[in-house]
Amino acid sequence: MKLSSFISKSTIARSEDSTDDLEVPLLVGDYCKDGQHQLHHCCEKEFKDEFGTAKKSFSSFNEETLENSSFSTDAQESREGQVSRNIPLIIAYTYILQTSRSLWSLNILSSYVYLLENKNAEAVGFITAVMGMSQFLAAFPAGHAADTYGKDGVLRIGAVVGIVAILSTCYAVYQQHYYSLVGALAASGLFLGITSPSILALLADSTKDGERAKYFTHNLQVTRAGQTIGPLLALVLFSFWADTWSLSNCSWVLVIGQFCCIPAVALLCCMKDEYSLDHLPSKHSTSTILSTCNSYTDEDEEQSLISNELESPHALLDISTHQVTAPSGALEAPQQSCQDFNDEVSNNTAVHSDRRFISYAVAISDTTHAIATGMTIRYFPIFFMNTLQLHPTQVQILYILGPLGQIIAAHYAEQAGKKYGLIQTAVFCRLTGIMFMLAMIFSYQHIHTMPYEIPPSTCIWMTCILYLIRNVCMNCTQALTQSVLMDSVPNEERGKWSALESFNTAAW
C-alpha cells in the first residue's frame, strides 16, 4: 500500500469522527487538534503495519547495501592464499617446452643447417629469419584475438599448429632437405607466435598486483632450468656418438627434441580463462555493487525516509502535502559506498593512463635488446664449433652453465629490484653485460698476443667464461621488464602487449 493512499484513508477517518473540518498535521499516536478524538483504532493499526513493513524492507536493503559496499575488501580477503590453476599449468608447459627447444634449437639447429648446406653461414641466417618472421606475423593477430575472443581458444588453435610443426620438422630432417626444413620451421614460428602472447597474458591475469614480478621471475627460472636440461641431454647423446659434429648425430637430436615437445602441446588444451583471478569465485563481484548503486531508486529512497521517520520521535508527517521530512544522513551510508567504488575505478583508470609512457619505453628497450641479440645468438654455436674448435660436449657444457647462472642471477635481480627499483636493476645488469661482451671480443682478438705468455687454450676458455658472464647479465632481467610492462597496461590489452614478446623472440 502506498503512503498516499493510507494518508487519504486516515484523513477520511478523521473527518468522520471529528467535528472540525480543518486538515492539520498529525503526530503518530497523538490527538487531533481539537483534543476530543483520537485516530480511529483500525486506521492507526493499519498505519503502524504499513510503516513497520516499510521499516523492515529498508533495513534489509540497507544491510545488503552496506555489505555489498565492502565488496572490494571481502573479495581481496577471499583471494588471499588462492593460486590460479593456470600457474602450475603454465610453469609445467614452460619447463617442457624449453627443455625440448633447448635440446634441438639453441645450438644443434645452427650446427645442423651449417653442415647440411656445406658450412654456409648464410643458410643459418635465412632459416632463422624465416622462423622469426612467421612468429612475428602471427603474434599481433593472435594477441588481438586473445583479447577479443579469449586466450584459451587461441591456445587450442596453437596446439593444432604445434602438432603440424612437429610432424613436418621430423619429415624434413628425415629427408635432409633444406627447403622442407624452412617450411617446417616456419610452422614452428607460427606455433610460438600464436601461443606466446596468450601464455604471457594469461600468466599476468592469474597473478595479483605486487606479486607479478615474483611469478614472472619463477617462470624465467623455470625457463632457464629447462634450457639447462636440453643441453644436458644433448651432452649425454653426443657422449655415446663419439663426441663429433656430424649430420647424422645432429639429426637424431633434432628428432628427439621434437617428440619431447608433445606433452607441452597437450598442456595448452588444459589452460582456461576462467582459472584467472578475475574469474575466481569471490564473495562479491563488481556487478553486484554496480547493480546495488543503480537500483537505489526513488521507491527505495521513500522507504529509507519512512524508516527514519519511525526512528525519530520529532519527525512530522504532512498529510496535506504527502511529504516526509527525513533527518539528514539517512542516505549517507549507501551513497558513500557507491561513491567510494566509483572513485576507486576512476583512480585505477588514471593510473593506467599515466603509465602508458612506461609501457612504450620498456617495449622499445626490449625490442632494441632483442634485435641486437638476434645479430649474434644464432652464430655463437658456429663460432664455438668452427673458430674455437670446441667439441659438441664442450659446447653443451657452456649452454648448461649459462641458464644455471641466469637462474641464480634472476633471483638476486628480483631482490635488487625490490630495493632499488625494477628498471634501475635491469639497466645496470644490461650495461654490465655489454662491458663483458666487449671484453670477450678483446680476449678473442688477442688470443695469440696475450702478455705473460698465456697459452691460446687458456685464452679460449677465458673467452668462453666472459661469454657466460655476458649471457647471464644480459638475460637475467627479462622477468623484471615483463613485470613492469604488464603492470603498466590495462588487463584488456595484455594480449596485444604480450605479442611484443613474440616479436622480440622473432628478432633473434
mmCIF file of all heavy atoms in Angstrom, residues 224 228 397-407 467-468 471-472:
data_model
loop_
_atom_site.group_PDB
_atom_site.id
_atom_site.type_symbol
_atom_site.label_atom_id
_atom_site.label_comp_id
_atom_site.label_asym_id
_atom_site.label_seq_id
_atom_site.Cartn_x
_atom_site.Cartn_y
_atom_site.Cartn_z
ATOM 1 N N ARG A 224 64.913 -21.111 -17.694
ATOM 2 C CA ARG A 224 66.355 -21.373 -17.700
ATOM 3 C C ARG A 224 66.668 -22.788 -17.245
ATOM 4 O O ARG A 224 67.622 -23.401 -17.740
ATOM 5 C CB ARG A 224 67.072 -20.371 -16.794
ATOM 6 C CG ARG A 224 66.856 -18.913 -17.170
ATOM 7 C CD ARG A 224 67.061 -18.662 -18.644
ATOM 8 N NE ARG A 224 66.881 -17.263 -18.995
ATOM 9 C CZ ARG A 224 66.467 -16.836 -20.169
ATOM 10 N NH1 ARG A 224 66.156 -17.708 -21.112
ATOM 11 N NH2 ARG A 224 66.353 -15.540 -20.413
ATOM 12 N N THR A 228 68.578 -25.689 -19.371
ATOM 13 C CA THR A 228 69.724 -26.425 -18.854
ATOM 14 C C THR A 228 69.595 -27.921 -19.138
ATOM 15 O O THR A 228 70.579 -28.587 -19.480
ATOM 16 C CB THR A 228 69.854 -26.208 -17.333
ATOM 17 O OG1 THR A 228 70.006 -24.812 -17.071
ATOM 18 C CG2 THR A 228 71.046 -26.951 -16.769
ATOM 19 N N ILE A 397 78.308 -27.967 -22.447
ATOM 20 C CA ILE A 397 78.624 -27.502 -21.095
ATOM 21 C C ILE A 397 78.406 -25.994 -20.987
ATOM 22 O O ILE A 397 77.864 -25.496 -19.984
ATOM 23 C CB ILE A 397 80.076 -27.886 -20.728
ATOM 24 C CG1 ILE A 397 80.192 -29.401 -20.554
ATOM 25 C CG2 ILE A 397 80.516 -27.177 -19.447
ATOM 26 C CD1 ILE A 397 81.611 -29.885 -20.318
ATOM 27 N N LEU A 398 78.811 -25.255 -22.006
ATOM 28 C CA LEU A 398 78.580 -23.804 -21.999
ATOM 29 C C LEU A 398 77.090 -23.491 -21.941
ATOM 30 O O LEU A 398 76.663 -22.580 -21.207
ATOM 31 C CB LEU A 398 79.203 -23.164 -23.237
ATOM 32 C CG LEU A 398 80.728 -23.126 -23.316
ATOM 33 C CD1 LEU A 398 81.177 -22.515 -24.637
ATOM 34 C CD2 LEU A 398 81.308 -22.339 -22.144
ATOM 35 N N TYR A 399 76.305 -24.257 -22.690
ATOM 36 C CA TYR A 399 74.870 -23.997 -22.735
ATOM 37 C C TYR A 399 74.146 -24.548 -21.512
ATOM 38 O O TYR A 399 72.958 -24.253 -21.305
ATOM 39 C CB TYR A 399 74.273 -24.574 -24.017
ATOM 40 C CG TYR A 399 74.470 -23.663 -25.202
ATOM 41 C CD1 TYR A 399 75.629 -23.735 -25.975
ATOM 42 C CD2 TYR A 399 73.514 -22.714 -25.543
ATOM 43 C CE1 TYR A 399 75.822 -22.892 -27.064
ATOM 44 C CE2 TYR A 399 73.694 -21.867 -26.617
ATOM 45 C CZ TYR A 399 74.852 -21.951 -27.368
ATOM 46 O OH TYR A 399 75.042 -21.102 -28.425
ATOM 47 N N ILE A 400 74.828 -25.346 -20.708
ATOM 48 C CA ILE A 400 74.275 -25.768 -19.418
ATOM 49 C C ILE A 400 74.566 -24.721 -18.346
ATOM 50 O O ILE A 400 73.692 -24.342 -17.563
ATOM 51 C CB ILE A 400 74.839 -27.142 -19.006
ATOM 52 C CG1 ILE A 400 74.311 -28.237 -19.934
ATOM 53 C CG2 ILE A 400 74.474 -27.471 -17.556
ATOM 54 C CD1 ILE A 400 74.966 -29.595 -19.723
ATOM 55 N N LEU A 401 75.803 -24.240 -18.313
ATOM 56 C CA LEU A 401 76.211 -23.283 -17.293
ATOM 57 C C LEU A 401 75.520 -21.926 -17.466
ATOM 58 O O LEU A 401 75.239 -21.240 -16.473
ATOM 59 C CB LEU A 401 77.727 -23.092 -17.328
ATOM 60 C CG LEU A 401 78.564 -24.328 -16.964
ATOM 61 C CD1 LEU A 401 80.052 -24.016 -17.104
ATOM 62 C CD2 LEU A 401 78.231 -24.802 -15.554
ATOM 63 N N GLY A 402 75.243 -21.537 -18.721
ATOM 64 C CA GLY A 402 74.598 -20.252 -18.970
ATOM 65 C C GLY A 402 73.237 -20.123 -18.299
ATOM 66 O O GLY A 402 73.011 -19.203 -17.491
ATOM 67 N N PRO A 403 72.287 -21.034 -18.560
ATOM 68 C CA PRO A 403 70.983 -20.943 -17.894
ATOM 69 C C PRO A 403 71.060 -21.100 -16.376
ATOM 70 O O PRO A 403 70.284 -20.478 -15.647
ATOM 71 C CB PRO A 403 70.185 -22.092 -18.529
ATOM 72 C CG PRO A 403 70.817 -22.299 -19.862
ATOM 73 C CD PRO A 403 72.277 -22.038 -19.650
ATOM 74 N N LEU A 404 71.989 -21.947 -15.894
ATOM 75 C CA LEU A 404 72.133 -22.085 -14.443
ATOM 76 C C LEU A 404 72.522 -20.752 -13.804
ATOM 77 O O LEU A 404 72.000 -20.364 -12.753
ATOM 78 C CB LEU A 404 73.177 -23.153 -14.118
ATOM 79 C CG LEU A 404 72.745 -24.619 -14.281
ATOM 80 C CD1 LEU A 404 73.921 -25.552 -13.990
ATOM 81 C CD2 LEU A 404 71.569 -24.946 -13.370
ATOM 82 N N GLY A 405 73.460 -20.067 -14.438
ATOM 83 C CA GLY A 405 73.841 -18.752 -13.935
ATOM 84 C C GLY A 405 72.703 -17.756 -14.007
ATOM 85 O O GLY A 405 72.545 -16.908 -13.101
ATOM 86 N N GLN A 406 71.873 -17.856 -15.029
ATOM 87 C CA GLN A 406 70.736 -16.938 -15.153
ATOM 88 C C GLN A 406 69.685 -17.194 -14.082
ATOM 89 O O GLN A 406 69.015 -16.260 -13.624
ATOM 90 C CB GLN A 406 70.127 -17.076 -16.540
ATOM 91 C CG GLN A 406 71.038 -16.596 -17.665
ATOM 92 C CD GLN A 406 70.462 -16.870 -19.033
ATOM 93 O OE1 GLN A 406 69.260 -16.827 -19.224
ATOM 94 N NE2 GLN A 406 71.330 -17.161 -19.996
ATOM 95 N N ILE A 407 69.518 -18.456 -13.678
ATOM 96 C CA ILE A 407 68.561 -18.768 -12.606
ATOM 97 C C ILE A 407 68.979 -18.079 -11.314
ATOM 98 O O ILE A 407 68.164 -17.445 -10.621
ATOM 99 C CB ILE A 407 68.468 -20.299 -12.408
ATOM 100 C CG1 ILE A 407 67.831 -20.951 -13.641
ATOM 101 C CG2 ILE A 407 67.653 -20.620 -11.163
ATOM 102 C CD1 ILE A 407 67.835 -22.469 -13.582
ATOM 103 N N TYR A 467 81.978 -14.948 -22.124
ATOM 104 C CA TYR A 467 80.701 -15.155 -22.807
ATOM 105 C C TYR A 467 79.617 -15.546 -21.814
ATOM 106 O O TYR A 467 78.480 -15.041 -21.883
ATOM 107 C CB TYR A 467 80.847 -16.224 -23.881
ATOM 108 C CG TYR A 467 79.528 -16.827 -24.318
ATOM 109 C CD1 TYR A 467 78.683 -16.155 -25.188
ATOM 110 C CD2 TYR A 467 79.121 -18.073 -23.816
ATOM 111 C CE1 TYR A 467 77.461 -16.699 -25.566
ATOM 112 C CE2 TYR A 467 77.908 -18.625 -24.189
ATOM 113 C CZ TYR A 467 77.081 -17.935 -25.062
ATOM 114 O OH TYR A 467 75.882 -18.477 -25.434
ATOM 115 N N LEU A 468 79.941 -16.432 -20.879
ATOM 116 C CA LEU A 468 78.954 -16.872 -19.898
ATOM 117 C C LEU A 468 78.493 -15.711 -19.014
ATOM 118 O O LEU A 468 77.295 -15.551 -18.757
ATOM 119 C CB LEU A 468 79.542 -17.990 -19.029
ATOM 120 C CG LEU A 468 79.711 -19.359 -19.698
ATOM 121 C CD1 LEU A 468 80.408 -20.330 -18.753
ATOM 122 C CD2 LEU A 468 78.356 -19.917 -20.126
ATOM 123 N N ASN A 471 76.283 -13.456 -20.978
ATOM 124 C CA ASN A 471 74.994 -14.090 -21.222
ATOM 125 C C ASN A 471 74.101 -14.006 -19.980
ATOM 126 O O ASN A 471 72.893 -13.739 -20.069
ATOM 127 C CB ASN A 471 75.213 -15.550 -21.626
ATOM 128 C CG ASN A 471 73.978 -16.169 -22.248
ATOM 129 O OD1 ASN A 471 73.088 -15.473 -22.716
ATOM 130 N ND2 ASN A 471 73.920 -17.486 -22.257
ATOM 131 N N VAL A 472 74.710 -14.214 -18.809
ATOM 132 C CA VAL A 472 73.950 -14.165 -17.561
ATOM 133 C C VAL A 472 73.437 -12.747 -17.297
ATOM 134 O O VAL A 472 72.257 -12.538 -16.969
ATOM 135 C CB VAL A 472 74.824 -14.661 -16.395
ATOM 136 C CG1 VAL A 472 74.158 -14.346 -15.059
ATOM 137 C CG2 VAL A 472 75.066 -16.162 -16.518
#
